[in-house]
Amino acid sequence: MLPVVDPQASLEQNYLDYLAVLPESGFSGEIETAYSSRLAVSTDNSVYQALPQAVVFPKNIDDLTLLGRTAAESRFIDIRFSARGGGTGTNGQSLTQGIVVDVSRHMNRILDFNAEQKWVKVQAGVVKDQLNDFLRPFGYFFSPDLSTSNRATIGGMISTDASGQGSLVYGKTSDHVLGLTSVLANGDILDTVPVSAESAQQQATTDSITGRIYQQILATCVGKRQQILAKFPRLNRFLTGYDLEHAVSDDLQQIDLSRIISGSEGSLVFVAEATLNVTPIAKFKALVNIKYDSFESALRHAPQMVAAQATSVETLDSKVLNLARQDIIWHSVKDMISDVPGKDMLGLNMVEYNSESEADFDDKLLTLESVLQADIAQQRNGVIGYQITRDTSQITNIYAMRKKSVGLLGKAEGPQKPLPFAEDTAVPPENLADFIMEFRALLDGHGLRYGMFGHVDAGVLHVRPALDMCDPAQERLMKEISDQVVALVAKYGGLMWGEHGKGYRSEYSPEFFGDELFAELQKIKAVFDPYNKMNPGKICTPYQSTESLVKVDDVKRGQYDRQIPVNIRESFAPAMNCNGNGLCFNYDTKSPMCPSSKITRDRRHSPKGRAGMMREWLRLLAKQNVNIEQLETAPEQISWLSKWRNSRNRHNSEQQDFSHEVLEVMDGCLACKACTSQCPINVDVPTFRARFLSIYYQRYSRPLKDMLVGNIEKMAPLMAKAPKLVNFFLRQKWVNNLIDKSIGYVDTPLLTSPNLRQRVQHRYAFDLTELENMSAEQRSQVVLLVQDPFTSYYEAELVDDYLQFIEKLGYQPVLVPFVPNGKPQHVKGFLQEFASTAKNAAQLLNRLAALGCPMLGVDPSLVLCYRDEYSKALGKVRGEFEVLLVHEWLSRLQQLPSVNAPNDFYLFSHCTEKTALPVSGSEWQTIFSRFGLSLKLVETGCCGMAGTYGHEKSNLDNSIGIYNLSWQQQITELKPQQILATGYSCRSQVKRIEGFKPKHPVQILLNSLSD
C-alpha cells in the first residue's frame, strides 16, 4: 500500500533550474512544487485537468516582474505561465502544464478609494464580494455580478471580462475598468488607461514594446474597423477574446489597451492592479418572482420584462428549482418562492427593479403588477403566480439560491453530471426562446438530461447536459455536441462564449473570427507575447507560430477518474462528485464554510482540495492493484514495530508515498462538517477523511495525540472519579510541558469539580426497570438526558442546569448513564472501534426510545453524530431512536412560561449545528421570545476549536487565527453576560482566549425561571 507519485508527474529540469534561480533573484513569494500543491490547481470548474510544474504565489508587482524578467533569459525561453485567481473558470482558462501564478494568496489588498470621483484601486487578487463589502458603507458597489462572487477575484473577472446578472444595465467588467497595471511576459510593467488617438499614434512611433503594441492595435482595431463591425453581432455579451471592437471609441478618437487585456484570459499579461469605477447603490430595490407553467413560457415572457425596463431578468428551470428545494439554501427562500396551489411551477423569472426615484420605482412596479394580474386572470403567457419583495435580506437570499444553481446541478443522481462545455452561448434576446427550444431538441435527440438557468435579458442561458466523463463514449459525445452547438449558435446570430470565456474551446476561434480577423488576433498576441509564454494555446497562438491551440478533446479529469474501479468511485462518491465549483473558497469570514481554507489560503486545505487529493490517492492505489475494500474490511496486520519503522523511514524511501501529502491536508481539517451542507453537492470531507486515516494508520504508527483523543471517552469517566487530584497535576507547569512535548497537546481542559455525580447525587437517578413499569401517562412527563463526554466531565454544571431546567418546566428529568458516543474515534479514523461504540450506544438508545420519552443531548456535534455518522456506519442496524437538541424539544412544546426579562442576549451558534440545522438559530429566537426574552443571532464562522482540534499544538496558530477571523471582533463588542454559545468547543475557545466562558441558552432560561 504505497501510492507513489506518478512518474509522469516528475518536474522537468528546465523548470527546476528556473525555480531555483527565482529566490536568488529576489523573489519574495512562495514557490510550491509538492505534488499535492500542483494537484490542487490542476483542475478548475471545468471538465479538464492539467498538472503544472509548480505553483508560485507572488507578493507584489516586483515578484511578477521577476517571474517575467528571469523567464526572458535565453536558457528559460520555454518556461510557460498561467495566471490564476479564484480558479472558478468553467473552460479550463487557468490550467497549464507550465507554472501557475496565483495572485489570490497575497495580492489581495484594496489600495485606494475616491468616493467623490467614484473609483477604487485594487490588487488583482481581491475577491469581488470583498470589494463590495468594503464599498457598501460608502453607498457604492462594483456592479458586475457573478454567481461566484464570493471567491472570484478581480483579476480573474478582468481576464474573462466577466459580467453576470444585470449586465443589460451594468455591462461587463471591461465597462468599469479605468486603468490597469500589468506585467508583460518579459517582465516589463505596462500601465494602460484610455488615451487619445493622437497620443496612441505618437507612442506607436517609439522603438519600445509599448510602441509596438500601440502600432499593432491601431493597425488592427482602426485599420480593420469595418470588418470587425461587420463580423460580430450587436450583443450585450460581446466577448471576443481580445475586444477588437471596443478598444477604439466609436468616433475613433480614443484608444484603450485595457479593453484588449480584458477578456484575454491571461494570454497577454499578468494583471497586477486595476482602477475601477464604482456604482451608487440604488435607494429602492424590489424583486418580482414570476412563476410559470413551463420553462418555455418563462423564456418567451422574459423579453416583455426587459421591455418593461427591468434592471435584470434571471431564469431558472424546474430541474434547478427542484435541486434547490433539497438544499440547505431553500429554507431561506421558500416563503418568497412558494408553490401555487393546484399548479406545477416549472419555470421562474426573477425580475429586479431598482431606481434612485421612488415615484419612478413605484410606477414601474404597479404597471408590472397590473400586467401580471391580467396574465393570471386570462391564463396567458403561462404565468401562474408572482410574489414581490422589497426586503434587502430576502432579495440577497434569493440571489444566493440563484448563484448556487451552478453547483446544485452537480448534485444530480448517478454518474452522469450536468457539465459546462457549451453553456454560455449568447444570441439576440429575441431569438433566445427559439434557440433554446432547438437546443433542447438537440439534447433530447441524444437522450440526455440537462438543467438550465441564466440571464435571459442578455440572451445568455446556461445549459448543462449530463454526461459521464468516465465513459469514453460520452466523452466523445461531448465533442460532437460542442460542434453541433457551434453550428446552432451561428444559425441564430450569436456567439459560442457569451460569458465564461474560451479556454479549451479556443479551437473554435478561427471559425467565429474568420481567417482575416483571427490573423489579427495572432498579431496582437505576437506583439505582447512573441514566445507564447503566457497561457499558451488559449485564445490564439502568436502570428506565424507553429504551436497549436488547446482542443475540446484535450485531457479531462474523467480520463484519470476512470482509472479508479467503479465500485470504489461509488463508495467514495463524496470525494468523486466534487465538480470544482469552488464554493468552499468562500471569502466571507462569517460563513462557516471550511475555516481551514480561510486561515491558510491554501487551496489544498479546502473541500475541493481534499477531494482532489482523495481522488488521486485512490487512482494511485488502483494503479498498484491495491484493494481498498479489502483494507477496510480486513485490515493489514502489521506489528507496531513495523509501523514505527515505516514512520521513521517514510521520508527516506526512494519512492515517496503520496499518502503523506494526503495526510497533511487531512490533518488540517477541523471536521466541522460545514462542507456536508454548505457545498452544493455535499462533499463530505470528515467522512472520507476518517476512512483515509483508518487505512493510512494500518501501515504507519499513530501519534500519541490521536490515541489520546480516540480514547477520551474511556479516560474521562475514570479521571472524573478524582477530579481534584487530576486537576492538581494539570495545573502544574511541568506536567503541561510534558504533555506538550510528548503528546503535542496544549491548554488541556480541567475536569469539573465537584463532578457531575457529586452535583446531582441521586436526584435524577436512572432506573430502566422503573421506567419500563411506568404507565404511558407517567412516561409522558419523563425527559431523558443523554450524556456526552465533554459536558458531563468538563462542564458538569451545564448538565446540572439542564436537569434543573427540565424540572422547572414541570417534567421529570432522568440522567441516562454515560455511554460513549464515538465521535472522537470517528474524527481520528478509528472506524472499527467507532462502529463497535456506535452499535453499543444504539442498542441502549433504541431500548430507551421504546419508552416513548423524549431524549435530549447537550452538545450539538455529538447529538448530530447520532444522526449522520451512526446512519452511515450502522445502516438499518442503527434503529429509529431520536436524540433531540434542547431547542428542538422546546419548539415542540405547546406551552412555555413567560418571564419578560429586559436583557438582550446574543447567540453564537455551533457551526455544525447551524449548517446541519439551518433554522436552529431562528428556533432559539422564537423560544426566547415565548419566554419573553430578546435574542439576536450573531453571524460568525467557526470558532477554531472544533472538538480537540484547537488543543493540538500543531493546530494552535490556525485555531486562534480562525477565532480572530470572525469571533474575536463580535465577542469584544458585547458584554460577557450577553453572550450565549451552544457548543462546548465554542465556549471553551472563548474561555481560553477571552478569559470568560459564555453561557448556554438553557442557563439563561433557567435563571429567568429562578428569578
Side-chain angles (χ1 to χ4, degrees):
M1 190 189 69
L2 291 171
V4 297
V5 173
D6 194 324
Q8 295 177 347
S10 60
L11 291 165
E12 295 178 14
Q13 188 60 48
N14 192 226
Y15 278 93
L16 285 172
D17 293 342
Y18 171 77
L19 296 169
V21 168
L22 281 180
E24 299 171 3
S25 303
F27 184 80
S28 62
E30 293 94 19
I31 300 170
E32 296 183 4
T33 57
Y35 190 44
S36 56
S37 295
R38 297 154 58 206
L39 196 67
V41 294
S42 66
T43 59
D44 56 1
N45 191 19
S46 71
V47 298
Y48 297 97
Q49 183 162 338
L51 186 72
Q53 294 290 312
V55 193
V56 298
F57 301 90
K59 290 188 175 181
N60 46 48
I61 294 179
D62 289 343
D63 278 349
L64 287 175
T65 61
L66 273 171
L67 289 174
R69 192 177 305 137
T70 306
E73 297 178 20
S74 58
R75 57 179 170 155
F76 297 133
I77 207 67
D78 292 328
I79 298 296
R80 302 286 188 262
F81 302 103
S82 179
R84 186 178 178 109
T88 58
T90 58
N91 294 293
Q93 288 94 326
S94 64
L95 303 185
T96 182
Q97 293 178 341
I99 295 174
V100 168
V101 181
D102 189 334
V103 299
S104 67
R105 182 178 291 181
H106 298 299
M107 297 181 66
N108 50 32
R109 292 186 298 120
I110 297 169
L111 301 172
D112 199 3
F113 172 59
N114 190 310
E116 291 184 2
Q117 297 178 16
K118 302 178 182 177
W119 59 261
V120 66
K121 186 175 183 180
V122 302
Q123 291 182 309
V126 166
V127 171
K128 200 265 187 182
D129 278 0
Q130 172 193 357
L131 176 57
N132 278 344
D133 286 346
F134 169 82
L135 294 170
R136 191 174 297 109
F138 300 100
Y140 292 97
F141 74 119
F142 183 55
S143 55
D145 194 11
L146 320 178
S147 65
T148 56
S149 61
N150 60 18
R151 64 262 197 208
T153 62
I154 298 299
M157 292 179 67
I158 292 168
S159 291
T160 56
D161 200 6
S163 50
Q165 176 209 333
S167 63
L168 211 60
V169 173
Y170 299 123
K172 299 166 69 68
T173 298
S174 57
D175 294 314
H176 301 275
V177 174
L178 301 177
L180 299 174
T181 297
S182 305
V183 176
L184 292 160
N186 69 351
D188 286 357
I189 293 176
L190 177 67
D191 289 310
T192 57
V193 295
V195 299
S196 67
E198 182 180 359
S199 175
Q201 289 164 357
Q202 289 176 349
Q203 292 194 60
T205 62
T206 63
D207 185 21
S208 66
I209 189 168
T210 303
R212 292 191 290 275
I213 288 172
Y214 271 109
Q215 188 179 45
Q216 184 60 57
I217 297 304
L218 288 168
T220 297
C221 299
V222 177
K224 303 287 183 179
R225 183 72 173 171
Q226 293 308 312
Q227 294 96 314
I228 293 168
L229 292 176
K231 183 63 180 176
F232 298 113
R234 306 275 72 76
L235 293 172
N236 170 257
R237 307 301 175 91
F238 45 75
L239 180 64
T240 63
Y242 309 152
D243 189 1
L244 306 182
E245 177 178 346
H246 297 91
V248 180
S249 61
D250 291 340
D251 60 5
L252 306 184
Q253 295 305 302
Q254 193 175 71
I255 308 296
D256 188 0
L257 290 184
S258 297
R259 287 283 193 169
I260 295 294
I261 294 170
S262 298
S264 64
E265 299 183 13
S267 66
L268 300 179
V269 297
F270 296 123
V271 174
E273 297 175 358
T275 302
L276 313 166
N277 70 28
V278 295
T279 305
I281 298 172
K283 295 178 181 177
F284 304 97
K285 178 183 285 190
L287 191 65
V288 186
N289 294 316
I290 308 175
K291 307 159 190 180
Y292 297 89
D293 60 5
S294 72
F295 184 53
E296 182 176 0
S297 296
L299 288 173
R300 296 195 181 279
H301 199 221
Q304 296 181 43
M305 304 300 101
V306 176
Q309 302 179 61
T311 303
S312 69
V313 184
E314 299 285 299
T315 295
L316 299 178
D317 72 356
S318 58
K319 174 76 172 177
V320 176
L321 282 170
N322 288 335
L323 287 169
R325 291 177 194 273
Q326 302 164 26
D327 188 76
I328 187 175
I329 197 79
W330 191 253
H331 78 91
S332 64
V333 301
K334 61 182 180 181
D335 292 337
M336 289 313 305
I337 313 179
S338 58
D339 289 319
V340 179
K343 304 280 188 178
D344 290 328
M345 178 170 55
L346 301 178
L348 179 73
N349 276 341
M350 297 178 292
V351 183
E352 180 182 322
Y353 282 95
N354 56 46
S355 177
E356 292 293 313
S357 165
E358 186 173 14
D360 171 66
F361 178 71
D362 289 340
D363 181 61
K364 288 178 180 177
L365 275 182
L366 288 171
T367 300
L368 178 62
E369 274 202 89
S370 64
V371 171
L372 294 176
Q373 288 169 356
D375 283 339
I376 295 170
Q378 299 174 31
Q379 297 184 3
R380 68 187 184 196
N381 293 322
V383 179
I384 59 175
Y386 69 92
Q387 288 175 268
I388 299 177
T389 179
R390 300 189 184 201
D391 182 272
T392 303
S393 62
Q394 289 180 332
I395 293 173
T396 299
N397 288 339
I398 292 169
Y399 279 139
M401 183 271 291
R402 155 65 183 87
K403 288 182 176 184
K404 211 173 182 183
S405 300
V406 177
L408 288 172
L409 281 171
K411 201 174 179 179
E413 295 292 331
Q416 294 180 329
K417 305 295 182 185
L419 301 177
F421 61 91
E423 44 67 75
D424 60 325
T425 54
V427 300
E430 62 272 17
N431 296 343
L432 181 62
D434 291 334
F435 168 74
I436 288 297
M437 290 305 106
E438 194 164 341
F439 200 152
R440 295 183 78 165
L442 185 161
L443 298 178
D444 290 341
H446 289 289
L448 298 176
R449 296 178 291 112
Y450 47 88
M452 296 185 173
F453 59 96
H455 322 290
V456 289
D457 51 358
V460 175
L461 204 69
H462 303 305
V463 183
R464 296 198 167 190
L467 295 169
D468 179 7
M469 287 293 98
C470 289
D471 181 347
Q474 295 203 23
E475 182 183 352
R476 291 191 294 272
L477 180 59
M478 175 187 142
K479 177 62 164 65
E480 180 183 343
I481 293 172
S482 294
D483 292 344
Q484 291 173 336
V485 174
V486 168
L488 186 61
V489 168
K491 173 181 176 181
Y492 283 94
L495 292 171
M496 182 67 177
W497 35 77
E499 183 172 24
H500 293 163
K502 290 187 175 68
Y504 281 80
R505 301 182 299 183
S506 293
E507 70 169 284
Y508 295 123
S509 288
E511 187 170 342
F512 273 89
F513 281 84
D515 292 342
E516 182 181 3
L517 289 183
F518 187 71
E520 295 302 314
L521 290 185
Q522 292 181 297
K523 291 174 184 177
I524 292 172
K525 169 72 171 176
V527 74
F528 273 90
D529 178 25
Y531 297 105
N532 201 26
K533 302 173 80 68
M534 308 297 282
N535 208 6
K538 313 290 174 57
I539 307 293
C540 66
T541 56
Y543 189 60
Q544 295 183 333
S545 168
T546 59
E547 298 190 56
S548 60
L549 291 168
V550 291
K551 304 289 185 183
V552 170
D553 268 344
D554 281 351
V555 177
K556 303 174 185 66
R557 198 188 96 180
Q559 292 171 243
Y560 294 97
D561 289 351
R562 74 177 62 137
Q563 297 173 33
I564 304 170
V566 174
N567 60 321
I568 301 300
R569 294 205 301 264
E570 292 174 348
S571 176
F572 283 86
M576 299 300 304
N577 288 343
C578 175
N579 62 3
N581 179 252
L583 187 60
C584 47
F585 299 158
N586 189 344
Y587 139 82
D588 187 3
T589 57
K590 294 180 180 179
S591 162
M593 171 58 100
C594 198
S596 62
S597 178
K598 288 183 175 66
I599 194 61
T600 62
R601 300 189 73 88
D602 187 331
R603 300 303 193 196
R604 295 175 302 164
H605 291 271
S606 67
K608 177 184 173 181
R610 292 181 174 114
M613 298 302 122
M614 200 67 186
R615 289 198 309 272
E616 180 65 359
W617 184 70
L618 293 171
R619 185 186 76 85
L620 292 172
L621 286 177
K623 194 172 180 180
Q624 295 169 239
N625 298 314
V626 175
N627 189 323
I628 286 284
E629 291 182 332
Q630 183 177 340
L631 287 175
E632 291 192 299
T633 56
E636 286 188 304
Q637 300 301 314
I638 300 178
S639 69
W640 69 266
L641 182 59
S642 296
K643 290 183 180 182
W644 178 78
R645 286 172 177 163
N646 289 340
S647 297
R648 276 184 63 88
N649 298 325
R650 68 180 197 173
H651 296 301
N652 299 327
S653 60
E654 293 182 5
Q655 291 185 313
Q656 180 62 48
D657 186 350
F658 179 57
S659 299
H660 306 320
E661 293 189 56
V662 181
L663 177 68
E664 179 190 350
V665 299
M666 296 302 175
D667 271 351
C669 173
L670 284 78
C672 65
K673 298 186 69 67
C675 53
T676 61
S677 55
Q678 296 291 297
C679 171
I681 57 171
N682 307 131
V683 167
D684 183 355
V685 175
T687 294
F688 65 69
R689 171 184 181 265
R691 294 178 69 181
F692 167 79
L693 293 175
S694 176
I695 295 172
Y696 179 87
Y697 286 119
Q698 290 181 30
R699 178 165 291 273
Y700 300 101
S701 58
R702 284 185 176 272
L704 287 175
K705 61 183 176 63
D706 284 17
M707 302 297 290
L708 175 67
V709 174
N711 288 283
I712 189 65
E713 292 189 288
K714 296 177 181 177
M715 296 164 55
L718 297 174
M719 294 189 297
K721 292 181 178 181
K724 290 184 179 180
L725 178 63
V726 173
N727 289 346
F728 169 79
F729 283 103
L730 290 178
R731 289 189 176 101
Q732 305 305 308
K733 187 175 181 179
W734 68 270
V735 173
N736 282 281
N737 288 337
L738 179 63
I739 295 173
D740 178 349
K741 293 178 180 178
S742 63
I743 299 179
Y745 208 71
V746 295
D747 300 326
T748 307
L750 299 177
L751 294 160
T752 305
S753 181
N755 63 27
L756 182 59
R757 177 177 295 181
Q758 292 166 338
R759 286 172 181 271
V760 303
Q761 296 180 353
H762 300 290
R763 287 179 293 150
Y764 310 107
F766 174 85
D767 186 324
L768 183 55
T769 303
E770 182 181 339
L771 287 170
E772 289 176 332
N773 290 333
M774 284 183 177
S775 66
E777 183 178 353
Q778 289 174 315
R779 285 201 297 264
S780 68
Q781 296 302 303
V782 173
V783 176
L784 304 176
L785 189 63
V786 179
Q787 299 187 60
D788 67 77
F790 301 114
T791 54
S792 287
Y793 300 111
Y794 296 95
E795 209 174 27
E797 69 278 4
L798 175 58
V799 180
D800 190 9
D801 288 342
Y802 255 75
L803 295 165
Q804 293 182 53
F805 175 64
I806 294 167
E807 196 169 35
K808 286 272 188 181
L809 292 180
Y811 293 87
Q812 179 184 343
V814 173
L815 185 63
V816 177
F818 174 73
V819 176
N821 170 283
K823 175 75 173 181
Q825 293 173 327
H826 189 276
V827 168
K828 291 301 182 181
F830 293 94
L831 292 189
Q832 287 191 314
E833 294 86 343
F834 170 72
S836 176
T837 299
K839 184 177 179 181
N840 290 337
Q843 288 175 345
L844 172 63
L845 294 172
N846 277 307
R847 186 173 180 184
L848 296 179
L851 300 173
C853 307
M855 291 190 289
L856 306 185
V858 180
D859 191 68
S861 64
L862 278 85
V863 170
L864 293 170
C865 179
Y866 291 130
R867 306 181 191 182
D868 187 5
E869 284 86 351
Y870 273 43
S871 297
K872 292 172 182 173
L874 302 179
K876 294 182 179 179
V877 177
R878 178 198 179 277
E880 300 297 325
F881 74 86
E882 179 182 48
V883 179
L884 301 174
L885 286 165
V886 67
H887 76 270
E888 295 176 304
W889 175 62
L890 292 172
S891 296
R892 298 180 183 184
L893 300 183
Q894 296 297 314
Q895 292 185 333
L896 291 175
S898 179
V899 294
N900 295 314
N903 295 335
D904 287 333
F905 296 97
Y906 295 83
L907 180 63
F908 290 70
S909 295
H910 189 284
C911 55
T912 303
E913 177 183 20
K914 67 184 175 185
T915 53
L917 305 172
V919 297
S920 60
S922 59
E923 288 181 343
W924 270 119
Q925 280 187 305
T926 301
I927 291 164
F928 265 56
S929 178
R930 290 173 66 188
F931 270 83
L933 302 173
S934 171
L935 181 68
K936 298 179 181 179
L937 305 181
V938 182
E939 191 178 1
T940 60
C942 180
C943 74
M945 179 58 78
T948 61
Y949 171 90
H951 288 297
E952 297 180 27
K953 185 178 180 179
S954 57
N955 300 326
L956 182 60
D957 290 343
N958 280 349
S959 174
I960 295 174
I962 291 167
Y963 175 86
N964 291 337
L965 287 177
S966 65
W967 276 63
Q968 193 271 335
Q969 182 179 352
Q970 306 269 30
I971 290 286
T972 55
E973 289 177 351
L974 299 171
K975 297 176 181 178
Q977 61 269 26
Q978 294 178 298
I979 299 171
L980 310 181
T982 54
Y984 166 79
S985 295
C986 308
R987 295 188 294 274
S988 299
Q989 182 78 312
V990 176
K991 176 68 165 62
R992 173 168 75 169
I993 296 173
E994 306 294 347
F996 73 91
K997 179 173 281 190
K999 297 290 187 183
H1000 189 284
V1002 161
Q1003 293 174 305
I1004 299 302
L1005 297 179
L1006 174 61
N1007 290 341
S1008 70
L1009 293 176
S1010 303
D1011 290 341

